[in-house]
Amino acid sequence: MRLNGRIAALLVLLAVGVAACGGNPAPEPPPVVAETVPQPDADSLAAVRAAERAAAAARLCNEAAAAMAAGDYDRARSLYQQAQRDYAGTDCANTAGGQLAMIDAVMVIRERVHFDFDKSNIRDDAAAVLQAKADVLRKYPNVKLTIEGHCDERGSIEYNQALGQRRADNTVRYLVSLGLSADMFNTVSYGKERPIAQGSNEDAWQANRRAEFVIENMGAL
Amino acid sequence: MMGRKPATWGLMVVALTASLAGVARAQDPGDVRVGITYTPGYLPGLVMTPVESQGAMGDLAARVDSVLRRDLDYADRFQIIPVPDDLPIEGPVNYGLWNQLGAVWLVVSELTGTPDLPVLRVSLHDVVFSELKEVKAFSLPRPTDSGFRMELHRVSDEVVKWATGEPGIAATRIVFRRMVTPTASDLFLIDSDGYGLRRLTHEAATDDSSIVLSPELSPNGRYVAYVSYRTGKPVVYELDLVTGADRTISDIGKINITPVYSPDGRRILFGRTQDDHTELFEVQRDPLCCTRRVTYTSTGETLGGAYSPDGRQLAITSTPLGNPQIYVMDLQRGGDPSIVSRYVFGERGYATSPDWSPRGDRIAYHTWVDSWFQIVTVNPNGTDRRVMTSRGSNEDPSWAPDGRHLVFAGTLRGYYALWVLDTVSGRLRSVTVNNVDQLPHWSDPLAPGS
């Protein structure tokens, strides 16, 4: 009984305490965050992580697209490969394969061909490069290319205008002989105005005696 | 030979030319005479007394003096004899005194009139015959006018004509292209004595890889025909230096290059794509019409033409033998062009960029000599070929109106400059330095008001 009496007294005290609280200002509410964040469960955690992954992958893809637009295909390739490796299943990773195939095609299309001094004939090494190009271009018949003819520093400025044009024309002629449509190609000669290698040595001269392949219509790929 | 390093070549050039330097220094310490084909010739001595003046025109007289003195020197027709400071030059001309100094000619000038409208009175005395050869009063424009220096050049040219029977070349300009950045070019104009640089185009301002080429002044000096890539391919344009108007001369086909004016200024000759190679065409300027094909090269390229002074013949760059060579062809009679640059069977030749002397007697071009370009002149029938330069690499010669001076772009002293060479004496001076200036073209004599 004594024990019961004590419990009863405690209950009374508690009841008084509750009644006293009811008459005072309400206590500070708990922080909003604590109220709004749902208790994490496994499903929602995975969703958050998936969203974060997708966003990171999308950033990679954007970066890769920018690199492609800037002509930095090596970087674009490495970014798409990273997307495939690290973000499998994301939209970016799913499209990366197609993009990598396009980059491969672009690299083949853009590979330069080179010429001998004061010559515009297609050398054997250039023929192999053009053959590979033609194989790719057949799959992309709507591509438009500008083929630029360039010369090294040793020729005359003005004569090189004509020589560069002849190099570009002969390159087109060779591609057409492989079955491609002449409509795919424009040509321009830059003579020796736009060297890619500096220096007065055979390595630089050889690098500069070239045809460049500029893709005017990426969308067609 | 092809892979020789420039440094090695430079040392060889030094060795080859060292023996010439002594002669050059003995004659003219301020200049270098180049080449191996020049023999020091006789130049009559000329004394020019300081330009006298009245009143407050002393500064102007000094300015006039320096221009006239430089022009007479740059004519390369005289041995300019300095006037000793203590020489009494007042009073009547003392022919005996000047004779003792070695003078054949004496130029005495005085600036009169007003500072705003000065008059320059110039007299030329023949010291040998002790007589007044010519005298004339030249009314000058206001000294602040942009044409003031050019008017002084005309005075100099007349004095040269009094003495030699042939006008000087001071009242002329040179148009050229300059690499304003390592990748962008624009056109510039400069007086032939290196003053008055003026920029003609501003393509580099909007295109960091702008390409302009082959500027050529019309015979009256008012227009410049040139090539620009501003639409993405080489197109021939003509710029009116007076109004600033710019018009397209030819934009047909893939390339339109190397425009030159006919001697009467009525036509422009240029290279254009024809059946997948380059041929020369002529177009009438005013009104722009009636383009006609001039060359019929079955294979290879033909470009870079230059008219003979009578307009009846052309010197052209053409490749029927595989490599570019210089040919002469008759515009009216037709027939096959005849080669005038050196061709050795089995050797690879390379000669381009001909320019026909205004006197008609020589054609200048550049050609490979041991893998470097050098300036060559030759008779129009291919005889008497003379290599004019031997150091560095030198390209694109253009004749002055006197037919003895050439301007060209080159690296004679190890750096890029536009050089003026007197092909008679070998004397050399630079018009511009420390810029990559290329493709110069020397104007005809410029009329007053130019």
Side-chain angles (χ1 to χ4, degrees):
Chain A
M1 269 315 279
R2 271 185 78 161
L3 184 59
N4 285 344
R6 282 180 187 176
I7 290 171
L10 189 60
L11 285 171
V12 169
L13 274 174
L14 271 172
V16 169
V18 169
C21 282
N24 289 332
E28 283 292 313
V32 173
V33 176
E35 278 188 4
T36 53
V37 171
Q39 284 299 311
D41 58 54
D43 284 350
S44 54
L45 256 182
V48 168
R49 282 183 190 140
E52 282 171 358
R53 240 174 128 250
R59 277 197 297 277
L60 263 189
C61 268
N62 287 340
E63 216 174 310
M68 270 181 89
D72 190 349
Y73 294 96
D74 286 337
R75 177 166 165 72
R77 182 202 299 273
S78 117
L79 289 166
Y80 281 126
Q81 284 171 341
Q82 188 187 340
Q84 281 185 323
R85 191 175 60 241
D86 298 345
Y87 298 100
T90 61
D91 285 350
C92 172
N94 292 339
T95 57
Q99 294 297 324
L100 284 167
M102 184 197 278
I103 289 171
D104 287 343
V106 166
M107 300 295 257
V108 172
I109 292 170
R110 286 165 51 96
E111 185 175 354
R112 300 176 181 117
V113 297
H114 295 279
F115 299 85
D116 287 334
F117 177 75
D118 196 25
K119 297 280 190 248
S120 55
N121 57 298
I122 303 299
R123 303 190 315 209
D124 289 347
D125 61 332
V129 172
L130 292 178
Q131 179 66 59
K133 239 180 254 297
D135 293 342
V136 169
L137 285 170
R138 269 189 215 102
K139 297 175 196 159
Y140 302 97
N142 295 321
V143 169
K144 295 278 185 210
L145 292 182
T146 293
I147 299 183
E148 304 174 351
H150 297 268
C151 307
D152 73 28
E153 64 169 3
R154 289 175 303 161
S156 305
I157 296 171
E158 292 168 330
Y159 173 73
N160 277 348
Q161 307 286 121
L163 178 63
Q165 186 62 49
R166 181 168 277 258
R167 285 176 176 166
D169 287 343
N170 280 352
T171 304
V172 169
R173 205 169 290 128
Y174 195 88
L175 288 169
V176 169
S177 79
L178 296 176
L180 296 170
S181 165
D183 294 339
M184 297 173 80
F185 310 109
N186 286 321
T187 58
V188 63
S189 168
Y190 285 113
K192 62 174 182 178
E193 303 292 311
R194 293 190 175 167
I196 51 170
Q198 303 300 324
S200 296
N201 54 66
E202 182 51 38
D203 286 347
W205 294 330
Q206 175 63 96
N208 288 329
R209 293 191 303 265
R210 69 200 193 276
E212 298 245 5
F213 302 81
V214 179
I215 299 167
E216 300 294 349
N217 192 346
M218 281 289 287
L221 274 172
Chain B
M1 219 50 167
M2 304 279 293
R4 176 178 291 149
K5 291 175 182 170
T8 313
W9 175 242
L11 287 173
M12 289 184 65
V13 169
V14 168
L16 278 170
T17 54
S19 59
L20 297 169
V23 177
R25 274 196 297 273
Q27 290 187 348
D28 191 339
D31 295 278
V32 173
R33 282 161 215 273
V34 298
I36 48 178
T37 56
Y38 305 103
T39 49
Y42 166 73
L43 287 178
L46 181 144
V47 166
M48 179 182 151
T49 57
V51 175
E52 295 169 33
S53 62
Q54 301 169 338
M57 307 236 285
D59 288 349
L60 187 59
R63 190 174 153 203
V64 170
D65 188 285
S66 71
V67 173
L68 293 188
R69 200 171 292 278
R70 188 185 304 113
D71 287 349
L72 293 175
D73 184 24
Y74 285 178
D76 291 319
R77 307 276 188 163
F78 316 104
Q79 183 74 43
I80 306 294
I81 299 170
V83 183
D85 287 342
D86 56 350
L87 206 68
I89 53 175
E90 288 80 19
V93 174
N94 185 342
Y95 289 111
L97 182 68
W98 299 119
N99 200 16
Q100 276 186 356
L101 276 175
V104 171
W105 301 109
L106 169 67
V107 178
V108 178
S109 43
E110 185 185 14
L111 202 56
T112 61
T114 67
D116 269 354
L117 289 171
V119 174
L120 182 62
R121 185 177 178 279
V122 182
S123 55
L124 177 73
H125 298 265
D126 184 329
V127 175
V128 176
F129 287 92
S130 302
E131 63 181 22
L132 179 65
K133 171 97 170 163
E134 293 281 353
V135 61
K136 187 173 175 181
F138 298 88
S139 296
L140 300 177
R142 286 172 189 275
T144 51
D145 279 6
S146 59
F148 183 75
R149 288 186 94 257
M150 195 51 76
E151 206 54 47
L152 290 179
H153 291 323
R154 281 189 198 94
V155 174
S156 312
D157 287 349
E158 193 145 347
V159 172
V160 172
K161 188 172 185 181
W162 291 343
T164 68
E166 294 170 26
I169 52 168
T172 58
R173 292 195 174 105
I174 293 163
V175 67
F176 58 96
R177 80 132 179 206
R178 170 169 290 178
M179 299 305 297
V180 292
T181 73
T183 59
S185 52
D186 265 313
L187 300 183
F188 288 76
L189 188 65
I190 197 167
D191 294 354
S192 63
D193 64 350
Y195 282 75
L197 182 69
R198 176 180 163 195
R199 189 171 189 158
L200 300 182
T201 62
H202 295 83
E203 300 200 5
T206 52
D207 178 1
D208 61 11
S209 56
S210 64
I211 302 172
V212 289
L213 294 161
S214 311
E216 169 104 357
L217 279 154
S218 65
N220 64 7
R222 174 167 174 170
Y223 302 94
V224 174
Y226 68 101
V227 173
S228 169
Y229 273 68
R230 61 177 175 254
T231 61
K233 69 172 190 178
V235 169
V236 173
Y237 299 94
E238 184 180 63
L239 175 64
D240 184 334
L241 296 182
V242 174
T243 65
D246 203 19
R247 65 170 176 163
T248 301
I249 298 297
S250 177
D251 63 354
I252 296 172
K254 295 166 182 167
I255 61 174
N256 301 267
I257 56 172
T258 61
V260 293
Y261 287 91
S262 62
D264 62 9
R266 292 182 179 169
R267 290 160 291 149
I268 291 176
L269 180 79
F270 61 96
R272 188 172 90 187
T273 309
Q274 172 76 39
D275 301 332
D276 283 341
H277 64 282
T278 312
E279 298 277 13
L280 286 171
F281 290 77
E282 233 183 7
V283 64
Q284 185 183 302
R285 283 186 58 234
D286 195 15
L288 192 65
C289 85
C290 318
T291 305
R292 77 178 185 97
R293 185 172 168 183
V294 170
T295 57
Y296 291 84
T297 318
S298 55
T299 58
E301 318 294 333
T302 298
L303 62 140
Y307 289 91
S308 61
D310 62 9
R312 292 180 176 176
Q313 291 175 287
L314 291 179
I316 58 176
T317 303
S318 193
T319 63
L321 298 170
N323 300 115
Q325 297 281 4
I326 308 300
Y327 295 77
V328 164
M329 61 176 284
D330 196 295
L331 263 175
Q332 274 141 18
R333 286 203 307 271
D336 283 342
S338 54
I339 190 166
V340 299
S341 52
R342 183 162 169 266
Y343 175 70
V344 178
F345 184 76
E347 275 185 23
R348 180 158 69 184
Y350 196 111
T352 68
S353 314
D355 192 40
W356 205 311
S357 157
R359 286 153 61 127
D361 58 339
R362 302 289 284 176
I363 292 168
Y365 59 93
H366 70 245
T367 191
W368 260 11
V369 178
D370 293 333
S371 302
W372 296 85
F373 284 132
Q374 301 300 350
I375 307 297
V376 171
T377 67
V378 69
N379 287 341
N381 64 4
T383 60
D384 192 22
R385 176 179 177 270
R386 295 181 212 162
V387 181
M388 292 282 134
T389 56
S390 59
R391 278 179 278 175
S393 195
N394 304 290
E395 301 174 57
D396 296 303
S398 174
W399 289 100
D402 64 1
R404 67 180 268 168
H405 288 87
L406 285 170
V407 64
F408 55 89
T411 55
L412 272 168
R413 292 182 191 162
Y415 51 87
Y416 248 109
L418 292 184
W419 303 96
V420 168
L421 173 71
D422 176 19
T423 59
V424 176
S425 69
R427 189 175 169 207
L428 184 74
R429 64 183 172 87
S430 58
V431 185
T432 66
V433 291
N434 296 327
N435 279 291
V436 180
D437 293 334
Q438 298 169 320
L439 298 165
H441 174 250
W442 205 318
S443 78
D444 286 0
L446 297 172
S450 298

